[in-house]
Amino acid sequence: MGGGGPHVVVVGAGSTGAAIAHDLALRGFAVTVVERGEVGSGTTGRNHGLLHSGARYAVTDPVAARECIEENLILRKIMPEGLELNGGYFIALTPEDMDFRQTFLEGCEAAGIPTRELTKEQLLRMEPRLSPKILGGVMVPDGVFEPYRFCLSFLASAQARGARVLTYHEVEGVLVEGGRTRGVQVRDRIRGRELTITADAVVNAAGPWAAKVAATAGCRVPLILAPGVMIAVGVRYSHRVVNRLAPPGDGDIIVPQRFTSMIGTTSWTVQDADLIPIPPDHVERMMDAGEAFFPGFRRQPKRGVFAVARPLVGPEEDQAEGEGFERAVTRDFACKHHEAEGAAGLFSVTGGKTTTSRLMAEAVVDQVGRWLGFERPCQTRTEVLLPPRRFFTERVVS
Amino acid sequence: MSWRLTLKIHRWQPGDRAPYYDHFTVEVPEEAYVLDAIEKVWAEQDRSLAFRHACHHASCGSCGLRVNGREKLPCITPVTDYPNGSTIQIDPLRHFPLVRDLVVDMGPFSQAMEAVRFSIIRHASEGVPDARSSEPPILPEEDHEATRFENCLECGLCVSACPIAGSALNYLGPAALAAAERMLVEPRGVDPLAVWEAIDHDDGLWRCHGAFECSAACPSEVDPAAAIMRLRRYGPKVGQVARQQRR
């Protein structure tokens, strides 16, 4: 297995874990991924599928904006089988939105995001179903990915380099001896048996469950679990992604995909990510928001209503909660080495976005490699990923 | 208003001599989908239950199963499709290797899709032969030709619904044949002869008996049966032309 390097266990097969597994395998590590359910069954699977251009963050979070556009351009090259590349718009619905345009364009320029201003007439010609009440807009290089296949591509590529991907295997505990991480205790949910997997390091990429995984080793992962409601309808209203030309808020993005459109999202906080009840008023708000862009949206039959917790980077110490505070939290990510907490070799990753998961993986694997004394250059910027289906055709099951 | 259903769920794990059913009663909002009910059973009643799911909006195709014998994507099947207070039977897809409970192995299905070289990204407008050579510009022009994911979600519902797939183990199945038709209409850089040769045999295009169950089961507007019938009409000609071109 692998290229003779140290053995790293990755907990979680969402976009973060999948990209980390691929990066590790490409640098010659031996890799085992353990995932308690199906690939992408947590936060990643239920995300919006928006390949960010970064424009959404251009004004509020310039670092995230720059990362997004850089990763967007890389993914176009390494994921040829997984992207709808039609671009996106930021559209003004009110005079206040139009006033925001200059700030928005300056933010995009500073982050290196290409833009093109469009008049109301141009927009309505390109997207005839847009509300005639729109005032104007800006085109940006947004795109659409399929979250599930996004993960499968990374995992298929990792598998081709010897990684073992154990789905339906749940981590019950991170094993620590003498201040050092030795592996994980896992429940094989297929056969209903326990197994111990020894490892030189463990990367905890369990998303909203990362705090629970770390807690088994007596470690703390500061997390804010911030779900959002998304709704799909069975009509494709636009060729391109539609965003509201305004600072980030509720119901400001409609992502088209195949013959559907998906509106999102809201934001609130929860304590438990396992089962998230959908607040009915959020559904109403989303349908109204869709109606503002596309007359008739409200009356469309729904094709899925769902919410899942974003695992946002939380404060190190307890911090007072206030309305809307989770939106202000950076969309950046954190990789915490739990050495000071007595679990050297356990790394927990939180935050980030699927669009930037390759970059997160690069940073995490740099850190893990440095600590293990196995430093190899990252190669994921140019390595073209395998088609997602290969995950199933070339499965190496234990 | 809430909706109360009893889920009679298929259980089996490696080592079990025969599958059996467990009953779970759950209450969910009437706006919920069958997948929400299954997830609630897992979260609150039985953590050993294994089922597949990811996107919850009929995009990934991972959650396919049978409700009362009918192939469904439970993520878009409203609980109100079944009477309040009723019992619904949840079974895994047929004609797939069973892994556990409701989880099946997508390996053989994926191999069939690979055999016809199915690529899910279309770089063309409806019906226009592909021009994959031209890479889309980073910021598309106004008249840019749309790129689209193929409608096929590779969920496997059509294969489960197909009576032939149950009797002919090596049958390529409706999803792969429909995919082959798309690849012949829009080659996307793939050799059409290779696609034709992958389906022109007894376990391919000519095995279908025209039951049309696949098209009834498809949740994503693919209509595999119609694709198979079209292929039978023009496929041999496409194969012949491709063969002559190769010579």
Side-chain angles (χ1 to χ4, degrees):
Chain A
M1 179 171 65
H7 181 210
V8 179
V9 164
V10 180
V11 183
S15 56
T16 306
I20 289 170
H22 168 61
D23 192 314
L24 284 165
L26 207 48
R27 295 198 216 195
F29 288 86
V31 183
T32 302
V33 179
V34 287
E35 159 59 54
R36 75 174 182 179
E38 177 63 46
V39 169
S41 56
T43 303
T44 303
R46 271 169 268 192
N47 88 29
H48 217 152
L50 172 66
L51 176 69
H52 276 280
S53 61
R56 172 45 69 212
Y57 307 113
V59 174
T60 53
D61 196 342
V63 175
R66 184 165 285 281
E67 287 174 358
C68 281
I69 185 63
E70 285 172 8
E71 291 305 306
N72 175 308
L73 296 176
I74 291 170
L75 286 167
R76 285 164 193 255
K77 296 197 171 63
I78 67 172
M79 198 176 272
E81 292 281 299
L83 306 172
E84 275 192 9
L85 291 174
N86 301 307
Y89 320 96
F90 278 70
I91 290 177
L93 297 177
T94 65
E96 293 76 47
D97 292 354
M98 284 303 269
D99 291 343
F100 181 67
R101 187 169 57 171
Q102 201 49 42
T103 316
F104 175 78
L105 288 168
E106 283 163 14
C108 286
E109 196 182 350
I113 301 163
T115 55
R116 186 189 305 144
E117 289 190 72
L118 296 167
T119 63
K120 171 182 178 168
E121 291 68 33
Q122 281 174 306
L123 280 163
L124 290 174
R125 198 163 53 238
M126 293 158 79
E127 303 288 357
R129 304 182 88 156
L130 273 171
S131 164
K133 293 180 186 157
I134 61 161
L135 300 175
V138 178
M139 190 189 275
V140 297
D142 281 346
V144 179
F145 58 80
E146 260 215 342
Y148 181 57
R149 291 183 170 83
F150 187 103
C151 301
L152 291 178
S153 273
F154 277 105
L155 292 172
S157 305
Q159 253 182 192
R161 292 179 187 275
R164 271 197 312 168
V165 183
L166 305 174
T167 50
Y168 301 94
H169 281 64
E170 183 159 15
V171 169
E172 299 203 316
V174 177
L175 304 173
V176 182
E177 270 172 38
R180 178 144 187 182
T181 304
R182 302 287 175 192
V184 285
Q185 185 68 24
V186 171
R187 181 159 185 84
D188 170 353
R189 297 187 55 228
I190 301 295
R191 294 162 200 84
R193 64 179 184 193
E194 303 289 319
L195 65 148
T196 303
I197 302 173
T198 56
D200 299 299
V202 173
V203 177
N204 169 16
W209 298 280
K212 282 189 181 167
V213 170
T216 66
C219 300
R220 184 169 180 274
V221 173
L223 262 186
I224 297 169
L225 306 184
V229 168
M230 279 177 254
I231 302 170
V233 297
V235 171
R236 184 168 183 138
Y237 273 102
S238 58
H239 295 302
R240 300 171 173 85
V241 177
V242 168
N243 304 266
R244 176 101 184 246
L245 181 55
D250 283 355
D252 57 358
I253 307 177
I254 299 175
V255 177
Q257 184 241 81
R258 295 197 176 92
F259 51 86
T260 68
S261 305
M262 203 193 327
I263 178 123
T265 177
T266 58
S267 191
W268 77 102
T269 54
V270 296
Q271 295 303 313
D272 180 15
D274 278 348
L275 194 70
I276 298 170
I278 309 275
D281 60 312
H282 288 218
V283 175
E284 294 306 308
R285 262 153 60 199
M286 287 303 96
M287 294 309 277
D288 286 343
E291 183 75 23
F293 287 108
F294 299 112
F297 191 96
R298 211 178 199 308
R299 294 191 305 277
Q300 291 303 332
K302 299 183 187 80
R303 201 176 155 86
V305 177
F306 51 99
V308 72
R310 307 171 183 93
L312 302 182
V313 181
E316 267 301 332
E317 298 302 325
D318 287 346
Q319 186 176 293
E321 294 193 13
E323 182 65 24
F325 88 104
E326 70 277 3
R327 260 211 205 287
V329 170
T330 174
R331 296 300 151 112
D332 213 349
F333 67 95
C335 178
K336 183 176 180 185
H337 186 194
H338 297 286
E339 196 166 15
E341 293 166 276
L346 173 63
F347 299 82
S348 291
V349 190
T350 49
K353 293 169 291 296
T354 299
T355 298
T356 55
S357 47
R358 188 215 62 83
L359 178 67
M360 288 168 70
E362 180 176 343
V364 170
V365 178
D366 280 350
Q367 193 177 343
V368 172
R370 219 164 22 243
W371 183 75
L372 284 170
F374 189 79
E375 295 188 70
R376 300 286 186 278
C378 175
Q379 297 168 53
T380 58
R381 278 168 191 269
T382 50
E383 178 77 11
V384 176
L385 298 167
L386 291 178
R389 206 177 291 123
R390 294 281 193 89
F391 176 74
F392 297 112
T393 58
E394 281 156 41
R395 202 70 217 279
V396 197
V397 184
S398 61
Chain B
M1 195 182 152
S2 65
W3 213 254
R4 189 184 166 89
L5 290 174
T6 298
L7 273 52
K8 179 185 171 191
I9 301 182
H10 173 278
R11 306 301 301 266
W12 180 85
Q13 73 174 65
D16 284 353
R17 222 179 296 166
Y20 59 97
Y21 289 91
D22 275 335
H23 291 71
F24 304 95
T25 299
V26 281
E27 226 170 278
V28 292
E30 65 178 339
E31 297 82 12
Y33 297 90
V34 172
L35 182 57
D36 299 322
I38 296 171
E39 197 174 28
K40 193 167 185 189
V41 167
W42 164 80
E44 294 178 351
Q45 299 188 41
D46 189 346
R47 288 281 171 150
S48 73
L49 178 67
F51 60 105
R52 301 181 65 222
H53 69 122
C55 78
H56 291 232
H57 63 281
S59 161
C60 74
S62 74
C63 69
L65 42 71
R66 287 179 296 146
V67 183
N68 291 346
R70 293 277 179 182
E71 282 72 18
K72 297 283 181 190
L73 289 181
C75 65
I76 54 167
T77 304
V79 290
T80 48
D81 279 4
Y82 308 95
N84 196 358
S86 65
T87 297
I88 58 174
Q89 183 172 323
I90 312 284
D91 284 293
L93 294 180
R94 303 184 299 173
H95 316 143
F96 285 79
L98 184 60
V99 176
R100 170 171 182 139
D101 297 341
L102 302 171
V103 178
V104 296
D105 176 8
M106 298 306 284
F109 175 91
S110 300
Q111 271 160 13
M113 300 303 275
E114 283 287 287
V116 302
R117 293 159 169 73
F118 191 43
S119 156
I120 62 165
I121 285 286
R122 304 172 55 200
H123 285 255
S125 318
E126 200 63 45
V128 176
D130 169 277
R132 182 158 252 216
S133 47
S134 61
E135 205 175 296
I138 290 167
L139 211 53
E141 296 302 323
E142 220 173 298
D143 60 352
H144 134 97
E145 288 199 332
T147 67
R148 291 282 188 274
F149 290 125
E150 280 286 357
N151 283 351
C152 179
L153 309 173
E154 302 182 59
C155 63
L157 297 198
C158 58
V159 169
S160 177
C162 173
I164 307 309
S167 58
L169 287 180
N170 297 319
Y171 177 41
L172 271 180
L177 292 172
E181 203 239 353
R182 300 297 303 147
M183 295 308 289
L184 290 173
V185 174
E186 297 171 13
R188 298 162 217 187
V190 167
D191 173 14
L193 187 56
V195 177
W196 174 247
E197 286 176 344
I199 63 171
D200 179 26
H201 53 78
D202 287 351
D203 279 319
L205 185 58
W206 311 107
R207 177 67 67 194
C208 168
H209 287 200
F212 285 73
E213 296 287 346
C214 51
S215 291
C218 179
S220 196
E221 303 182 4
V222 174
D223 197 356
I228 292 168
M229 295 309 139
R230 284 195 299 271
L231 263 182
R232 284 181 170 179
R233 279 202 302 278
Y234 70 69
K237 181 77 186 166
V238 172
Q240 199 183 8
V241 170
R243 215 166 270 132
Q244 280 163 358
Q245 278 171 351
R246 187 181 277 184
R247 281 200 204 103

